[in-house]
Amino acid sequence: MAAETDNVITIHNFASKMSTFDPNSTGKQLYGLVDMGSNGIRFSISDLSEPRSRLLDCMYKERAGISLYDALHESAPDSKAFHFSQKTITQVAKTLSRFKRICDSHGVAGKNISVFATEAMRTAENRDEMLDAIHKESGLVVDILSPEMESLFGAMGARSGFNQVDGLFMDLGGGSVQMTYVDSSTGAGYDVLAAQAAKSLPFGAAKLTAALSTRSTAAEAKVELQGRMKQTFEGMKSQFPKLKEQIEKDGGVSIYFCGGGFRGYGSMLMHTETIQPYPIPAIGGYSVSGDRFVKWKQMLKANDYDGKIYGMSKRRREQFPAIVEVVHALVEAVPKIKQVTFCSGGNREGVLYMKLPTKMRESNPLPMLPGVTYGAIADDATIASVVERLSLALPGSQPSVFSPELLDHIARNIWVHTGDSDDANSARSLHHPISGSLAGLPGLTHQIQAVLALTMCARWGADLGPVDRPLQNNLKELIGAELSFWCEFIGTIARAMAIVIPDFPREGLSSGPDRDAVLFKSDVAHGLGKKGHKSGIKLQIAVAKQSQEGIDLGKLEDMFSKVGKGLHLGWTVEAEVV
């Protein structure tokens, strides 16, 4: 095996690799990244320009199906173990040269193009030959990540999709599986602490598949995997008292997964959900309880299905028994798993995320989600006044998912597309968070995507055609009846606000002509409904006299009578215009 060279990025020298981002730049900040993984080579070009740097906007993405792991273990007559053939070296060099040309066509500065490699390149005996060929063909320099840095970038790439995280972070690639613990609440330096604690186990999906293919090595590989997984987790517990407490006293540990192997397991979980078709296609932000995650035997059986499984390539299906063995070993090592979340981010997103200043990295991504822009009139104070009005309409018992940041996004989009018909806007709003420009962005778990879809659909009266009603029903089933009720209520509040104030309040709702146009007061109440058997919300809507012209106030009240219908909660809303 080749000795460590200057190409290997370690914890001690990675800071210099992250120094090209300039938060004060007025021009576009484009970054090209190549991740030379064991199962494939992935390219991307991302825009870190303000004000949406935190969202790590991807402009271009591509994958070359070149397995460097397979290339190191070819069985051709002239092949040599742990050596890339000349054919593979040429193919990889030309592939990276093509990506360099794509970066040039997009205007990516040379200093902003990064190429990094992981397990396969770490173990290749003739990796210097590969590095020289790539540089000669494309001018690009490849950085080989140490196992700790691979864990850091993988964990930070997964972490980039959330506001706060606390749990194990694991990455299953073709050549190795990484584990570390990340608690973003501990403050500055938690990322380096996670990297220093990270462990890399040589049980990637491709490597383990090869070991399981022969009877002589399969049993030994399983025993070694389970032993080392348990040893690794016990080491994490000894390093992080909070993790130990979660296992021994709390409800268990949360786990965040990235890497193609774990995403394949997540795709199988989605395929076997009781809600079918599962309403959100992207794996990023998908969560299941620990009780469901541990049913690896059922997932292995599901892989025998002859038809197409969404998110599972032929190669991933072939590697799935090895993926299940990793999951099995994890389940045996971790006694209490509370919840698992599958992440779309990986090494490339981790590299981008680590380029950002600390304050920007730790900011909540939700307020930065793309929405309508009203030019200079959509200042923070104006939006804040709309958020305040929405908050005052709530009785104070709504679920925590309706955070100020989520209400901020709703406020920015209440008056979008007011020139279109309600039915078109209902369908558009339903699809936008799950398959439109919001899909896959940081901050959007499947729960939040469903909440946004249902809330904004209700803002337009949920006037849906037969093709979209099954999607609406599946989203409601995904988040449950109670949360669906609140989506309908808040969406209807937004609709009522837009009826009384038909244009974006340019001077805000804290001052200006729209200040007292419409006010809401709500309380949780009982004895509602015609027979007095229901609970729910008693809502008062105060509409200023000058704002009543041309408005059917009775219709304004009736809108709220539809909230909660069909959810079988026994909840209702009684609205009165005063």
Side-chain angles (χ1 to χ4, degrees):
M1 187 179 297
E4 186 172 78
T5 71
D6 291 339
N7 295 96
V8 179
I9 303 180
T10 66
I11 295 175
H12 301 292
N13 64 8
F14 88 97
S16 62
K17 300 288 181 180
M18 302 294 106
S19 60
T20 55
F21 178 77
D22 180 9
N24 299 314
S25 173
T26 56
K28 276 200 169 185
Q29 297 207 54
L30 304 182
Y31 291 83
L33 296 176
V34 184
D35 179 4
M36 298 177 63
S38 297
N39 261 338
I41 300 176
R42 293 171 174 81
F43 317 118
S44 64
I45 298 175
S46 300
D47 185 0
L48 297 190
S49 305
E50 287 274 40
R52 294 174 58 196
S53 309
R54 173 69 175 81
L55 297 182
L56 311 179
D57 281 338
C58 186
M59 301 171 53
Y60 177 88
K61 185 181 293 185
E62 186 178 331
R63 180 183 184 275
I66 302 173
S67 172
L68 296 181
Y69 177 84
D70 288 351
L72 287 179
H73 300 83
E74 291 178 325
S75 56
D78 58 343
S79 62
K80 188 177 179 182
F82 293 101
H83 282 71
F84 294 121
S85 67
Q86 190 56 51
K87 178 182 177 182
T88 298
I89 291 174
T90 301
Q91 183 185 18
V92 171
K94 289 188 176 299
T95 299
L96 265 65
S97 178
R98 175 179 179 274
F99 181 64
K100 175 62 166 60
R101 292 195 299 274
I102 295 172
C103 283
D104 292 341
S105 70
H106 279 79
V108 182
K111 67 177 183 177
N112 289 350
I113 302 176
S114 301
V115 186
F116 47 90
T118 54
E119 176 72 8
M121 286 289 282
R122 284 197 297 263
T123 57
E125 295 284 357
N126 64 336
R127 69 184 182 190
D128 288 340
E129 188 178 346
M130 173 75 84
L131 300 178
D132 291 342
I134 292 172
H135 186 261
K136 182 178 180 180
E137 188 73 30
S138 65
L140 298 173
V141 174
V142 180
D143 292 312
I144 301 173
L145 303 181
S146 65
E148 294 79 13
M149 288 311 303
E150 183 180 357
S151 295
L152 172 64
F153 289 142
M156 290 301 106
R159 184 263 175 276
S160 70
F162 307 93
N163 179 30
Q164 295 289 333
V165 294
D166 179 10
L168 288 178
F169 276 70
M170 299 190 67
D171 184 345
L172 177 57
S176 62
V177 57
Q178 321 285 330
M179 179 190 288
T180 190
Y181 175 72
V182 181
D183 181 4
S184 61
S185 68
T186 58
Y190 75 87
D191 46 3
V192 175
L193 187 63
Q196 292 172 335
K199 299 298 180 184
S200 177
L201 307 180
F203 297 101
K207 182 178 286 189
L208 190 54
T209 297
L212 297 177
S213 64
T214 60
R215 186 175 298 179
S216 60
T217 59
E220 182 180 347
K222 291 180 182 180
V223 171
E224 184 183 359
L225 168 61
Q226 292 197 16
R228 293 188 63 175
M229 185 73 76
K230 184 174 179 60
Q231 181 184 26
T232 300
F233 178 68
E234 290 300 319
M236 293 288 165
K237 280 172 54 181
S238 64
Q239 286 182 274
F240 298 99
K242 188 175 180 180
L243 175 61
K244 183 178 180 181
E245 185 174 338
Q246 289 170 351
I247 294 295
E248 296 178 352
K249 298 181 181 179
D250 297 337
V253 63
S254 296
I255 308 179
Y256 298 83
F257 291 118
C258 62
F262 283 133
R263 281 195 283 267
Y265 192 82
S267 295
M268 193 65 76
L269 284 167
M270 286 173 61
H271 175 70
T272 56
E273 283 276 4
T274 56
I275 307 170
Q276 292 297 332
Y278 188 79
I280 300 177
I283 189 70
Y286 172 58
S287 296
V288 299
S289 68
D291 290 341
R292 183 149 188 270
F293 172 76
V294 302
K295 296 180 179 179
W296 53 271
K297 290 181 181 179
Q298 294 182 15
M299 299 305 106
L300 187 60
K301 186 177 180 179
N303 194 46
D304 294 334
Y305 174 67
D306 289 335
K308 170 70 177 173
I309 296 178
Y310 181 77
M312 298 285 284
S313 65
K314 180 181 178 181
R315 180 177 177 83
R316 193 67 69 204
R317 295 283 293 272
E318 292 171 349
Q319 294 178 347
F320 196 70
I323 294 169
V324 168
E325 285 299 332
V326 175
V327 171
H328 180 201
L330 177 63
V331 169
E332 292 295 316
V334 183
K336 289 171 65 177
I337 300 175
K338 179 170 61 177
Q339 177 179 278
V340 303
T341 300
F342 297 89
C343 310
S344 57
N347 285 338
R348 285 170 301 153
E349 290 78 10
V351 171
L352 291 171
Y353 186 70
M354 294 299 291
K355 288 179 181 292
L356 302 177
T358 301
K359 184 177 180 180
M360 190 178 293
R361 286 206 306 264
E362 300 308 311
S363 61
N364 191 327
L366 282 179
M368 303 168 200
L369 294 176
V372 71
T373 55
Y374 298 93
I377 60 174
D379 58 81
D380 290 342
T382 300
I383 296 298
S385 71
V386 179
V387 171
E388 182 184 31
R389 191 60 53 90
L390 287 173
S391 299
L392 291 173
L394 302 175
S397 59
Q398 72 278 1
S400 60
V401 67
F402 285 102
S403 63
E405 292 81 10
L406 195 66
L407 292 177
D408 180 283
H409 182 77
I410 293 170
R412 292 177 187 275
N413 290 272
I414 291 175
W415 289 271
V416 179
H417 303 299
T418 51
D420 298 334
S421 62
D422 284 10
D423 53 354
N425 284 331
S426 293
R428 179 190 287 118
S429 299
L430 187 71
H431 287 272
H432 186 54
I434 61 177
S435 57
S437 62
L438 293 184
L441 290 181
L444 291 179
T445 63
H446 280 203
Q447 183 192 59
I448 291 179
Q449 285 176 271
V451 164
L452 276 178
L454 293 173
T455 301
M456 297 313 296
C457 181
R459 179 265 175 265
W460 292 102
D463 189 7
L464 297 170
V467 70
D468 289 315
R469 288 190 199 115
L471 173 60
Q472 181 193 35
N473 291 334
N474 284 353
L475 288 170
K476 288 180 179 180
E477 189 175 350
L478 175 62
I479 64 173
E482 293 188 14
L483 190 49
S484 296
F485 174 89
W486 287 105
C487 292
E488 293 181 7
F489 178 68
I490 293 173
T492 307
I493 288 289
R495 186 182 181 201
M497 190 182 299
I499 289 174
V500 179
I501 307 173
D503 193 16
F504 184 82
R506 287 166 171 75
E507 297 181 41
L509 297 180
S510 299
S511 60
D514 295 317
R515 181 182 60 183
D516 297 321
V518 59
L519 299 170
F520 302 94
K521 181 183 178 182
S522 63
D523 294 292
V524 174
H526 305 282
L528 304 178
K530 292 181 180 179
K531 297 181 179 180
H533 294 163
K534 292 185 177 182
S535 298
I537 297 174
K538 188 77 173 177
L539 176 69
Q540 291 185 341
I541 309 171
V543 182
K545 187 174 182 180
Q546 66 271 20
S547 301
Q548 294 180 16
E549 296 179 6
I551 296 177
D552 185 340
L553 299 180
K555 185 178 179 181
L556 202 64
E557 293 177 343
D558 289 343
M559 287 192 317
F560 288 90
S561 65
K562 299 178 182 179
V563 174
K565 278 196 171 181
L567 295 177
H568 309 294
L569 285 170
W571 294 3
T572 190
V573 177
E574 284 191 2
E576 177 188 12
V577 175
V578 296

